Amino acid sequence: MTQAPARIGLTDTRYFTPFSRLGAVQPIERGILAALDHEWLRVEWIREDIVRFKISRGGRFDEHPTYAVCIDLTTVPVPSFTLTETDTSLILRSTRLEIIIGRDPFTLTVRRSDNSLVLNTATGHDGRPWAYATLNDAFAFHRVCARDDAFLGLGEKTGRLNRKGRDFILWNNDVLSPQGEAEFAVGRDPADPRTKNTSTEFDPYYVSIPFFYHLDQAGNAAGFFLDNAYRQHVDFSPAETYGVCALGGQYTEYVFAGPRIADILEGFTWLTGRLAPPPIWALGYHQCRWHRYRQEDVVALAVRHRERRIPCDTLWLDIEHMDGYRVFTWNHELFPDPAALVQQLQQYGFRLITIVDPGVKLDPDFALFREGQAHNFFCRTASGELYIGQVWPGRTVFPDFVKPEVRAWWGQQNANLARLGVAGIWNDMNEPATGDIPPYAMRFNGGQEPHERYHNQYALLMAMATVEGLQAAFPDQRTFVLSRAGFAGIQRYAANWMGDNCPRWDHLWMSMPMAMEMGLSGQAFIGADIGGFAGDTQPELFARWMQCAALTPFCRNHSAYGHVDQYVWSFGPAIEQIARAALELRYRLIPYLVTAFMHTLETGEPVQQPLVFAYQTDRLTRDIDDQFLLGRDLLVAPVYAPGAVARQLYLPAGAWYDWYSDEQFTGEQFISIAAPLNRIPLFVRAGAVIPLWPEVPPSTMNYYPRTLELHLFVPTHDGVYTSDLHEDDGLTFRFAQGACYRTTFRIERRGQQVTVTATVRGDGFREFARETLTLVIHGATPAALVVNGMTQPLVANQLTFANRGQGFTVSFTV
């Protein structure tokens, strides 16, 4: 065993005591229950590729440590497994995993059926195995890794995609607040960039997801989810060990066999829930600004987008629309008739989204405060007093979302906004941020439970309350909630954005690995504030950021009060044209994006994927974090340096087409590509079919096109390639009952012959308006196509033919 250091991050573990001896063992339905020192160890098979370890506290198990896991295990079949006991160990085996538990000293080792290692206990600084060690209410463990292994995951963290060599704190934090910076600079060298809250190394951030991957030198991945929401320190800095320390709560860990990253993520999102299906308009462009708008200003903003032919689906209202920052209110001087505003915006194809903060102004004249106080809905301190914090309204109290009745009450308030016509809800300040007053006196469940248990879960519970209220009022409608903070499982209820960033080139870069890690951690609906939030952006930076963000899951332009305008038109006609072109590309790609999101609903896979997700055995990909896959078939390489007119990038295995020129490239090589300011490097996987809208609508509202373009990028080598297309009404859940069309494209190349076979399932939907398909051929110039047995000539390498949702066959010779 490899010896670990005496520290995990900034946590001193010298005085922890490792558990040492396994006692009596008894079989249980899913595994075993064993005495472990003065506690109990439970090992349970969840699936053949997922095992759960639990260790009791005070002889009792916490069966509901967090709100992350949503699967009902009583409905999950018990996998087949065997148990073998020897004098020195217990061995549990399924078809996928082997668990070896050392009796004395207590150790944990997990291997796959091919004998490759999943986890192995390391020794601590005292030379004893550290499978589990405690001090007061904290616990820690150390495990073995190799120098060249990689670590991925942990959700919203700064720095490189590969986490190896760094340590992290899991604690939801209002990053740009002075308090959030000062607290986490303690104990670090002042020169350490992690002490500066605008640094691309600062930690912790708004979202905490205690789930990560260990990728070995052979490319095998294992996954680990510590189902514990207390503050954690995770340390990947030692060369040959790693460690985790939780500062409270109980040890409950899910281990995922892998070895494919995709299989681990499928299992993790099966356990914690898949992405909530977004309404199609949420995939469009969003315009937001913290600004003191008047009602007529918002309408004028909508008109200006339409006059300048800038596609956009939503306009957002930040905190200034409220009456003294009182949540769920309107400043009627600025917004005399919100319902009329909603109707006016709808005439231009816009939807309206408003901000909702959790802090409720402590004001006896405020009806929401009086109601919450009368029903004991707010968090209390240990003495039973109301907990009081300080945010935008001044002295504030906070809903106790641990209570179901509080979540129901909060949900009703959000439903009232929706009844007014507000289309989506923006949850901000929900770490929870408490301003100048520390949050730790805030307790939950009527003051019975400590702040530390629910701090990281607060945003998850707030989003749960919001969505449940919206769905109760509008059960057939898909909801859209955007949240700043979150925990494992937040994807079931809300999208996330990456909080208050800065208009800097390094923050544009940081948005890429941060979004990719969120995708690997279950949250696929993610994006950064375009142009940067806190500061004055520059024209070139804005153009490059717009190009990048237009090819990410969530696309919102947002800026802070008091800074320069950063609307699409704010930097002159040249930048406006570049930004418009980026958004036009996004809107034409919406059929492709809809399909990519559907893949997430079905498998958990990210929409914005790091290359390592699809190419994990390629050692180079684990350290590439400045380019990404959008869906399965597009490779995006944003420019993130001023003055750059070219960029080097890596093409993984296979063949690739340049999006603009159709030039073909062989994979597994680095290339340099021209990238003038009006172009973002973009490549397509050979063999892919990319569906595009034929035109750029002003917004998605009521847009159901009569034709669709299918762009076939001809495979360069023999083989079978697949793509697909999902179509539904974009607004309801009816697709789950079959009200959709799902087309699978099978592309087969044999020598010079290419055949495309499209098969369709689903019953269709009322709004479906397609009458024709236009097939566009890239990478070949055939004279004609055979469509369903009939030969038809191509014009300009494309052919339009009748299609109302049926399958078809096309063949041609290259």
Side-chain angles (χ1 to χ4, degrees), residues 441-452:
M442 180 195 299
R443 293 174 66 87
F444 295 95
N445 202 12
Q448 300 176 64
E449 299 193 72
H451 180 81
E452 290 78 5

Side-chain angles (χ1 to χ4, degrees), residues 25-42:
V25 178
Q26 64 183 76
I28 57 176
E29 183 184 24
R30 291 185 176 271
I32 59 110
L33 177 68
L36 177 61
D37 285 15
H38 54 283
E39 295 289 357
W40 295 94
L41 167 70
R42 217 164 74 196

Side-chain angles (χ1 to χ4, degrees), residues 521-722:
S521 303
Q523 176 54 290
F525 205 175
I526 184 73
D529 284 345
I530 296 171
F533 172 75
D536 292 339
T537 197
Q538 301 298 316
E540 183 187 8
L541 174 61
F542 179 79
R544 290 301 194 188
W545 209 317
M546 185 66 80
Q547 290 173 336
C548 175
L551 297 172
T552 63
F554 179 60
C555 180
R556 185 181 73 156
N557 180 359
H558 183 38
S559 55
Y561 201 98
H563 295 290
V564 299
D565 290 355
Q566 60 179 52
Y567 304 111
V568 169
W569 54 80
S570 297
F571 303 99
I575 299 300
E576 178 180 350
Q577 176 54 36
I578 291 170
R580 182 189 295 109
L583 295 175
E584 288 174 344
L585 175 59
R586 180 180 184 85
Y587 272 77
R588 292 199 68 202
L589 280 168
I590 280 181
Y592 177 80
L593 287 172
V594 167
T595 306
F597 271 86
M598 191 55 57
H599 293 156
T600 304
L601 266 67
E602 294 164 351
T603 71
E605 68 183 70
V607 175
Q608 185 176 356
Q609 304 176 5
L611 269 60
V612 70
F613 179 80
Y615 300 94
Q616 71 182 68
T617 59
D618 183 339
R619 287 286 300 275
L620 292 173
T621 62
R622 62 183 64 184
D623 292 307
I624 293 176
D625 48 28
D626 61 353
Q627 57 184 86
F628 52 86
L629 297 173
L630 178 62
R632 296 174 176 176
D633 295 317
L634 294 178
L635 187 150
V636 187
V639 175
Y640 55 94
V645 293
R647 108 133 257 204
Q648 180 176 279
L649 58 95
Y650 181 70
L651 294 175
W656 298 86
Y657 283 81
D658 183 292
W659 176 263
Y660 308 97
S661 68
D662 280 353
E663 183 180 358
Q664 298 173 20
F665 295 87
T666 301
E668 295 187 294
Q669 65 164 328
F670 287 93
I671 65 169
S672 183
I673 196 82
L677 187 56
N678 65 350
R679 180 175 296 185
I680 181 173
L682 179 62
F683 294 82
V684 190
R685 190 192 311 275
V689 173
I690 306 296
L692 296 180
W693 276 346
E695 59 191 358
V696 180
S699 77
T700 63
M701 189 176 288
N702 300 319
Y703 182 70
Y704 298 97
R706 295 187 179 278
T707 189
L708 190 71
E709 294 180 5
L710 301 177
H711 289 253
L712 170 62
F713 292 82
V714 174
T716 58
H717 296 84
D718 286 3
V720 174
Y721 306 78
T722 59

Side-chain angles (χ1 to χ4, degrees), residues 277-286 313-314 316 351 353 479-481 495 525 552-556 586-587 590 597 700 730-731:
I280 191 169
W281 53 263
L283 307 188
Y285 172 57
H286 304 263
D313 264 81
T314 64
W316 296 52
R351 289 174 168 88
I353 294 176
T479 58
F480 176 72
V481 176
F525 205 175
T552 63
F554 179 60
C555 180
R556 185 181 73 156
R586 180 180 184 85
Y587 272 77
I590 280 181
F597 271 86
T700 63
L731 299 174

Side-chain angles (χ1 to χ4, degrees), residues 83-103:
L83 170 63
T84 303
E85 295 193 51
T86 71
D87 291 341
T88 59
S89 64
L90 300 177
I91 304 172
L92 293 91
R93 291 189 182 93
S94 73
T95 58
R96 299 283 301 278
L97 286 171
E98 177 184 74
I99 303 164
I100 304 166
I101 307 171
R103 289 183 180 271

Side-chain angles (χ1 to χ4, degrees), residues 706-708 710 745 756 758 770-777 785-788 790 792 798-810:
R706 295 187 179 278
T707 189
L708 190 71
L710 301 177
F745 304 102
V756 180
R770 172 153 53 83
E771 298 173 350
T772 60
L773 287 172
T774 298
L775 183 63
V776 184
I777 307 297
L785 302 181
V786 179
V787 181
N788 297 329
M790 297 182 61
Q792 301 188 44
Q798 58 185 291
L799 173 67
T800 298
F801 56 95
N803 186 278
R804 291 177 171 81
Q806 310 93 338
F808 62 86
T809 301
V810 173

